[in-house]
Amino acid sequence: MYSDIISTVEFNPTGELLATGDKGGRVVVFQREQESKNQPHRRGEYNVYSTFQSHEPEFDYLKSLEIEEKINKIRWLPQQNAAYFLLSTNDKTVKLWKISERDKRPEGYNLKDEEGRIRDPATITALRVPVLQPMDLMVEATPRRVFSNAHTYHINSISVSNDYETYMSTDDLRINLWNLEITNQSFNIVDIKPANMEELTEVITAAEFHPNQCNTFIYSSSKGSIRLCDMRASALCDNHSKFFEEPEDPSNRSFFSEIISSISDVKFSHSGRYLMTRDYLTVKVWDLNMESKPLETYQVHDYLRSKLCSLYENDCIFDKFECVWNGSDSVIMTGSYNNFFRMFDRNTKRDVTLEASRENSKPRAILKPRKVCVGGKRRKDEISVDSLDFSKKILHTAWHPSENIIAVAATNNLYIFQDKVN
């Protein structure tokens, strides 16, 4: 029933392809339409290019645990030839997939007949030269590598380094470094597992490589801190080189403080100068050269502060929202409830709330900004906090690497919005 709920969204480095993963272990790849002479406005529409089953449900007999097939993350590799490559992961296993096109097929084999059956050697009297005949375009997805058996805990993120030879996979307590060519060994580069598990106070929530330094990476924790590590300093990066954390304001302290300060996503800016973190109520932008406090803090849905009790009771307080940069690092986007998503312009300091829903998803429809009112009188176009639907949440979004095109996953629907073209 819930297998089609989208669990990750990711553009490839050129933005021509967009991949989504879902709870049923499927990956759907969309391809952008090429512009045609007679329909110049059609460019930008994404159509299904390939659908394949990436992961299957498994069972861990040693621990008597079911391993879900749900795709936690997808990461594309830069295109180096006609084929595309992507990494997808569930809780335990990372797979490298190759997506390639076939529009010709060889005909006229010597040892097989046209149906593919092996011919009787006695009947082969002449040598044939096989020829390539055109056929309908077929898009094939084939698993090239399977990276398994390296994680005791659930994998929450994968990140490819900018040398495109290595990637890291991260679970609650450890980060492993892999070579993309080698499946039977990985190197453990971070291990925060205490000798006594009863002393466990925090877990790793996300990790990412620096966009242009393959030796540097960051990881975030459930305690609201971010550590920057340098692999040149030592092979095991248990000692960080930088530590980013904002001291808590004692006047805001509450029962929920620790839960809502847990970081659900961390992303380097494209320039590599800043990092962005998302916790339950805010998005923060940090300068890599300033560890003491964030450069900018944006309130995503501050009106939920008074609702934390009920959000704790319905488990929504543990939702993990992601955040993304636009191509020029000037605007950031993250999701909220009621199918709302938020955009913050870092230059003008303006922000907007938009809604992804069936009603406003007609082609070329203009999205109207939404407002949530807190207490007092409600204006006619506002929605009250008490009527927000917490089952409709936007956890996963993606931004085209160079254009103003965004992909927003609302439960089992994918919405693609773009800037209006004059």
Side-chain angles (χ1 to χ4, degrees):
M1 170 182 172
Y2 300 113
S3 68
D4 59 349
I5 292 177
I6 298 171
S7 51
T8 182
V9 187
E10 190 77 11
F11 280 101
N12 80 333
T14 61
E16 288 302 302
L17 299 180
L18 170 68
T20 65
D22 68 19
K23 280 198 164 177
R26 277 184 306 274
V27 171
V28 181
V29 179
F30 299 87
Q31 185 181 42
R32 194 174 183 189
E33 283 293 308
Q34 294 306 314
E35 195 167 334
S36 61
K37 290 274 190 295
N38 50 0
Q39 291 178 306
H41 64 272
R42 278 291 294 268
R43 172 128 178 86
E45 288 195 10
Y46 284 81
N47 292 321
V48 174
Y49 177 62
S50 173
T51 304
F52 58 94
Q53 188 72 28
S54 170
H55 288 69
E56 303 279 356
E58 293 173 62
F59 193 78
D60 182 335
Y61 291 98
L62 290 173
K63 297 201 178 77
S64 293
L65 280 178
E66 286 181 36
I67 301 169
E68 278 189 40
E69 63 273 40
K70 172 183 165 229
I71 309 290
N72 292 342
K73 281 284 184 293
I74 289 173
R75 288 289 177 265
W76 289 90
L77 295 172
Q79 192 177 1
Q80 277 153 6
N81 52 26
Y84 301 97
F85 287 88
L86 64 81
L87 287 167
S88 64
T89 185
N90 67 349
D91 284 341
K92 296 287 179 194
T93 305
V94 183
K95 294 186 182 181
L96 174 68
W97 288 89
K98 175 185 180 181
I99 300 166
S100 50
E101 294 185 356
R102 274 225 324 244
D103 59 356
K104 292 185 177 64
R105 67 164 181 264
E107 281 184 4
Y109 286 105
N110 286 292
L111 302 178
K112 295 181 191 162
D113 63 18
E114 300 312 322
E115 271 73 56
R117 291 187 296 264
I118 301 290
R119 289 166 66 189
D120 176 11
T123 65
I124 301 173
T125 54
L127 195 61
R128 299 199 284 186
V129 178
V131 287
L132 288 173
Q133 297 287 1
M135 58 176 245
D136 289 344
L137 177 67
M138 254 178 64
V139 181
E140 296 180 311
T142 44
R144 296 309 298 268
R145 309 254 187 293
V146 177
F147 306 87
S148 54
N149 302 329
H151 285 276
T152 314
Y153 308 98
H154 292 345
I155 299 174
N156 55 46
S157 51
I158 44 178
S159 177
V160 182
S161 79
N162 77 322
D163 61 8
Y164 308 128
E165 290 178 13
T166 56
Y167 77 91
M168 60 183 180
S169 55
T170 307
D171 67 28
D172 298 339
L173 299 179
R174 298 194 180 103
I175 302 178
N176 291 335
L177 182 70
W178 301 82
N179 185 308
L180 279 159
E181 300 294 323
I182 302 168
T183 58
N184 59 359
Q185 75 178 132
S186 62
F187 297 94
N188 179 230
I189 51 174
V190 171
D191 186 348
I192 65 163
K193 183 180 178 186
N196 177 4
M197 279 297 262
E198 286 177 8
E199 291 165 14
L200 183 67
T201 58
E202 64 181 329
V203 293
I204 302 171
T205 54
E208 190 177 61
F209 268 116
H210 192 283
N212 37 40
Q213 296 167 7
C214 57
N215 51 280
T216 310
F217 66 92
I218 44 171
Y219 68 90
S220 58
S221 91
S222 56
K223 276 200 159 169
S225 58
I226 308 108
R227 291 169 176 83
L228 180 115
C229 302
D230 186 339
M231 289 191 278
R232 293 171 304 189
S234 72
L236 191 62
C237 303
D238 284 356
N239 297 325
H240 46 268
S241 39
K242 289 191 175 182
F243 182 78
F244 302 86
E245 187 174 45
E246 187 172 26
E248 195 196 5
D249 176 1
S251 64
N252 276 344
R253 181 109 192 107
S254 77
F255 170 75
F256 304 109
S257 296
E258 266 189 32
I259 304 175
I260 63 172
S261 65
S262 174
I263 293 174
S264 53
D265 196 16
V266 58
K267 294 265 172 49
F268 273 108
S269 63
H270 296 81
S271 67
R273 167 78 193 270
Y274 304 104
L275 16 123
M276 164 168 55
T277 59
R278 169 75 210 255
D279 57 39
Y280 191 64
L281 295 175
T282 66
V283 174
K284 294 173 181 163
V285 174
W286 303 75
D287 187 319
L288 278 193
N289 303 322
M290 185 168 80
E291 299 169 59
S292 55
K293 63 174 195 289
L295 206 56
E296 302 152 23
T297 300
Y298 300 98
Q299 301 295 336
V300 178
H301 34 217
D302 205 41
Y303 46 79
L304 295 183
R305 251 180 224 285
S306 59
K307 294 257 173 285
L308 292 176
C309 260
S310 51
L311 290 163
Y312 179 75
E313 282 162 13
N314 65 12
D315 275 355
C316 283
I317 201 166
F318 302 107
D319 285 335
K320 293 178 170 42
F321 291 96
E322 293 169 11
C323 52
V324 287
W325 300 87
N326 71 341
S328 60
D329 298 334
S330 60
V331 182
I332 56 186
M333 169 173 65
T334 191
S336 179
Y337 293 103
N338 209 62
N339 280 356
F340 288 171
F341 57 99
R342 303 270 284 139
M343 287 186 176
F344 303 95
D345 188 313
R346 299 180 55 214
N347 301 326
T348 63
K349 298 294 180 236
R350 296 226 297 266
D351 65 281
V352 64
T353 304
L354 300 169
E355 183 183 1
S357 69
R358 286 274 168 88
E359 290 74 68
N360 50 22
S361 65
K362 297 177 186 66
R364 324 245 171 286
I366 306 280
L367 288 181
K368 288 203 299 281
R370 306 299 307 255
K371 282 212 162 40
V372 177
C373 81
V374 189
K377 287 184 70 173
R378 185 164 71 91
R379 297 205 186 92
K380 71 168 173 28
D381 55 346
E382 290 184 336
I383 179 165
S384 109
V385 180
D386 297 316
S387 55
L388 293 174
D389 185 344
F390 292 111
S391 65
K392 293 181 176 168
K393 50 192 97 168
I394 290 181
L395 304 175
H396 314 286
T397 58
W399 202 308
H400 188 289
S402 54
E403 296 179 45
N404 277 337
I405 298 177
I406 58 169
V408 176
T411 338
N412 54 356
N413 295 311
L414 180 71
Y415 295 94
I416 297 173
F417 301 112
Q418 64 176 18
D419 238 3
K420 52 180 187 290
V421 189
N422 297 331

